[in-house]
């Protein structure tokens, strides 16, 4: 049958009718269950052998505050070193020069292939290998004086981070369209200038979420530096419980500080992402 | 007697087993507008990329403004030029890409000023004034502060033309500049190119827009399988082709 010029019968007018809210029974039920479980866990801890007064007393103790400051200083400096090394290694890895490429691949292989705690111990104990270090004829010093816990932690964490960050940066640079590099070349830019002015700014948008992830990892990885006597927050908490035996209370104190720091970092990452999203439709002015 | 601005002699280029260019020779004269036509894979885009040294040729030679591109003669050998020297040679040519390739993190104006400021190291106020004038010339004065994502394809391509012109090239290379555009946006880009041709710019245009070629080109070159099959005045090559292959191509595209 050919379609008639008028609309067919049997299709009622639905305009003006609302879509009803679903009751979502299962969501309510599961939420209630989770609240119950959390309450049970909370009650168990409240009745457990934890002196909460110690937690609140040591939460703002001077030694703990110094510890969290040292943790943050180390995390920021080691991450900065890691990003610097990561960018350099990623650029070397993508270079047409086979020597640079191999050196970069070797660096990543070595520092990603061994445990971080082992690297920290090696840096800290460097004096066992080289009792004195320096530039022949110019300057020399005893390695034990130079390789302080601070320097050993910075080198260990930063160089290890560089190996991971280089892969993140490389992925970011590969995500930029080849046409961008050609367009940069076509207006006379050399490789390094094109990387700095065109490729890296666009790669940043892609690498910030994984770098934020890496930085949060770094904040917590600084706790490994407690084994080489770097006075970060976990190390200081341990020193206190060696004296007063309030082990769990002080571990909770340290844990709360880590949680606080990480909670502050997440919105900071959002701000950075916005900054580097310039020119994408999502955040266009 | 004038000399050709571009002299191409026996240029060959291979990609692995595939011979993209099989000994191409061609002259482009100052002020000439040349359209290169042919099926995809015929080597016309590769020829353009070799002139701008985005691809290095395997044999033969290309001279631009009397200067041998990419290599230096020393005794009986040729030595590849450094990246810096190649960059300097590239400044004589402007390239417009099929996919525009504007820098997405920079505004239209910043895209145009980037080269003159960063590569040529010229003064900001002077460069900015020129960029504003270039935007006016391509009809986009109102879009100076827009990011590429906020522009239509036709507008992006016009900014890309302005970006290439900002380097004050002697030769403009267009690689299928309208192929990625919606049909209703092709005209505005071709209009800018016509205006540029009228101003006396030497242009090499790889295109499928035969109407544009007929109207603007001084010479049309038909390429097939990495070689030049036929060339001559637009009316001759497009209107009365001598070669069977040209006739077959033209009847396929029209």
């Amino acid at each position: 049958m050919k379609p008639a010029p008028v609309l067919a019968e049997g299709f009622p007018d639905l305009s003006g009718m609302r879509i009803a809210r679903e009751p979502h029974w299962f969501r309510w039920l599961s939420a209630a269950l989770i609240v119950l479980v959390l309450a049970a866990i909370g009650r168990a801890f409240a009745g457990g052998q934890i002196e909460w007064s110690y937690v609140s007393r040591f939460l703002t103790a001077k030694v703990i505050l110094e510890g969290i400051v040292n943790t943050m200083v180390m995390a920021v400096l080691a991450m900065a070193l890691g990003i610097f090394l990561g960018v350099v290694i990623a650029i070397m890895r993508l270079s047409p020069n086979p020597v640079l490429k191999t050196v970069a691949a070797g660096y990543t292989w070595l520092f990603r292939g061994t445990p971080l705690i082992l690297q920290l111990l090696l840096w800290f104990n460097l004096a066992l290998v080289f009792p004195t270090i320096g530039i022949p004829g110019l300057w020399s010093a005893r390695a034990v004086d130079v390789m302080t816990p601070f320097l050993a932690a910075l080198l260990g964490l930063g160089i290890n981070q560089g190996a991971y960050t280089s892969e993140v940066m490389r992925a970011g640079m590969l995500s930029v369209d080849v046409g961008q590099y050609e367009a940069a070349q076509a207006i006379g830019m050399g490789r390094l200038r094109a990387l700095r002015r065109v490729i890296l700014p666009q790669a940043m948008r892609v690498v910030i979420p994984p770098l934020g992830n890496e930085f949060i990892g770094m904040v917590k990885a600084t706790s490994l530096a407690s084994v080489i006597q770097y006075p970060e927050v976990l190390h200081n908490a341990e020193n206190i419980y060696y004296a007063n035996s309030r082990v769990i209370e002080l571990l909770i104190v340290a844990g709360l500080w880590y949680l606080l720091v990480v909670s502050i970092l997440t919105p900071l990452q959002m701000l950075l992402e916005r900054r580097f999203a310039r020119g994408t439709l999502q955040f266009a002015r | 007697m004038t000399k050709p601005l571009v002299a191409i002699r026996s240029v060959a280029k291979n990609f692995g087993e595939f011979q993209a260019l099989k000994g191409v020779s061609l002259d482009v004269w100052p002020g000439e507008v040349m359209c290169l036509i042919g099926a995809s894979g015929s080597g016309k885009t590769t020829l353009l990329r070799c002139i701008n040294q985005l691809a290095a040729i395997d044999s033969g030679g290309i001279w631009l403004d009397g200067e041998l591109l990419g290599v230096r003669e020393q005794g009986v050998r040729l030595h590849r030029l450094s990246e810096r020297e190649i960059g300097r040679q590239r400044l004589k040519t402007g390239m417009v890409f099929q996919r525009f390739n504007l820098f997405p993190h920079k505004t239209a104006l910043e895209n145009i000023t980037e080269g003159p400021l960063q590569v040529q190291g010229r003064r900001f106020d002077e460069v900015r004034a020129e960029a504003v004038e270039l935007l006016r010339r391509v009809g986009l004065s109102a879009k100076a502060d827009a990011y590429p994502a906020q522009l239509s394809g036709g507008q992006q391509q016009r900014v890309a033309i302005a970006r290439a012109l900002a380097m004050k090239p002697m030769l403009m290379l267009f690689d299928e500049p309208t192929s990625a555009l919606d049909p209703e946006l092709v005209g505005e880009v071709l209009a800018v190119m016509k205006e540029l041709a009228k101003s006396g710019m030497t242009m090499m245009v790889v295109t499928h827009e035969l109407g544009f070629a007929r109207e603007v080109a001084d010479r049309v070159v038909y390429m097939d399988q990495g070689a030049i099959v036929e060339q001559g005045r637009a009316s001759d090559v497009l209107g009365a082709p001598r070669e069977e292959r040209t006739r077959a191509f033209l009847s396929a595209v029209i």
Side-chain angles (χ1 to χ4, degrees), chain A:
Chain A
M1 210 173 79
K2 289 240 172 98
V6 291
L7 295 174
E9 298 281 324
F11 300 95
D13 182 12
L14 296 184
S15 57
M17 287 179 77
R18 291 271 191 81
I19 293 175
R21 280 178 76 113
E22 297 292 321
H24 292 304
W25 296 119
F26 191 74
R27 289 187 195 172
W28 284 105
L29 186 71
S30 48
L33 262 174
I34 289 166
V35 168
L36 270 178
V37 170
L38 286 179
I41 294 173
R43 191 165 161 273
F45 268 90
Q49 306 244 332
I50 299 173
E51 291 284 345
W52 289 98
S53 63
Y54 277 91
V55 174
S56 57
R57 195 194 316 164
F58 281 105
L59 196 60
T60 53
K62 188 160 170 284
V63 185
I64 294 293
L65 291 181
E66 281 171 4
I68 194 69
V69 167
N70 284 340
T71 293
M72 286 316 294
V73 166
M74 181 53 67
V76 169
L77 290 181
M79 196 67 196
L81 178 61
I83 290 176
F84 170 75
L85 288 173
V87 171
V88 171
I89 295 296
I91 290 174
M92 286 168 68
R93 193 83 188 261
L94 293 174
S95 141
N97 182 332
V99 178
L100 294 180
K101 247 186 197 169
T102 311
V103 169
Y107 170 94
T108 311
W109 170 78
L110 182 64
F111 289 101
R112 243 179 11 171
T114 49
L116 176 54
I117 194 161
L118 182 140
Q119 291 173 33
L120 286 167
L121 288 168
L122 280 178
W123 283 111
F124 189 54
N125 292 305
L126 201 68
L128 298 178
V129 191
F130 310 108
T132 57
I133 50 177
I135 308 155
L138 280 178
W139 168 84
S140 76
R142 291 199 313 150
V144 271
D145 299 332
V146 176
M147 201 49 76
T148 58
F150 174 82
L151 188 62
L154 179 62
L155 289 176
L157 292 166
I159 291 173
N160 181 268
Q161 186 60 47
Y164 286 92
T165 307
S166 73
E167 288 296 279
V168 173
M169 297 306 300
R170 191 164 71 96
M173 283 151 76
L174 288 175
S175 77
V176 178
D177 182 34
V178 185
Q180 289 291 313
Y181 185 54
E182 292 186 342
Q185 282 186 305
I187 57 170
M189 287 191 181
R191 209 179 94 83
L192 285 179
R193 195 194 299 275
L195 280 171
R196 187 166 59 81
R197 298 288 307 177
V198 176
I199 307 297
L200 281 176
Q202 294 181 61
M204 285 314 283
R205 198 172 63 82
V206 181
V207 302
I208 282 175
L211 277 189
N213 212 20
E214 296 278 312
F215 185 59
I216 285 170
M218 171 63 84
V219 169
K220 291 172 295 170
T222 53
S223 63
L224 288 176
S226 61
V227 300
I228 56 169
Q229 314 304 319
Y230 179 69
E232 48 74 51
V233 69
L234 185 65
H235 182 261
N236 290 2
E238 283 176 332
N239 276 347
I240 297 172
Y241 72 61
Y242 291 146
N244 69 3
S245 301
R246 293 291 167 189
V247 177
I248 296 298
E249 288 81 352
L250 279 146
L251 288 179
I252 289 174
V253 165
L256 287 175
W257 274 110
Y258 283 117
L259 275 176
L260 181 72
V261 166
V262 171
S263 309
I264 294 170
L265 289 178
T266 311
L268 282 182
Q269 180 185 329
M270 294 280 286
L271 284 178
L272 261 185
E273 278 180 38
R274 233 167 250 258
R275 168 75 178 72
F276 281 101
R278 255 183 323 174
T280 57
L281 268 186
Q282 205 178 352
F283 292 112
R285 279 182 287 185

Side-chain angles (χ1 to χ4, degrees), chain B residues 32-76:
Chain B
E32 186 176 20
V33 176
M34 174 185 285
C35 280
L36 297 148
I37 60 170
S40 58
S42 61
K44 53 200 194 313
T45 289
T46 304
L47 184 62
L48 229 56
R49 291 170 61 85
C50 287
I51 295 172
N52 205 24
Q53 303 192 57
L54 290 174
I57 60 177
D58 292 326
S59 70
I62 303 176
W63 285 259
L64 175 65
D65 191 28
E67 186 185 9
L68 182 58
L69 295 182
V71 287
R72 176 166 34 88
E73 284 182 81
Q74 204 169 49
V76 293

Side-chain angles (χ1 to χ4, degrees), chain B residues 122-214:
Chain B
R122 293 170 51 204
R123 280 183 37 234
F124 177 78
D125 41 356
E126 173 190 313
V127 167
R128 198 192 139 83
E130 279 179 18
V132 168
E133 167 58 21
L134 279 168
L135 275 176
R136 191 199 57 74
R137 197 168 157 194
V138 299
L140 290 172
S141 294
K143 298 290 186 182
D145 296 323
Y147 284 96
Q150 296 165 308
L151 300 174
S152 74
Q155 291 170 334
Q156 287 189 51
Q157 193 62 299
R158 286 187 279 157
V159 173
I161 293 172
R163 176 175 69 178
L165 288 174
M167 307 301 286
K168 301 191 171 137
M170 320 171 82
L171 169 72
M172 283 287 283
L173 306 169
F174 293 84
D175 181 16
E176 303 198 24
T178 58
S179 296
L181 295 176
D182 290 337
E184 78 274 19
L185 303 176
V186 169
E188 62 189 61
V189 172
L190 292 183
V192 167
M193 290 168 62
K194 275 179 211 168
E195 189 269 332
L196 191 59
K198 222 175 285 171
S199 77
M201 175 63 78
T202 313
M203 295 162 62
M204 291 179 79
V205 185
V206 169
T207 188
H208 295 298
E209 296 290 333
L210 298 184
F212 173 83
R214 195 172 284 121

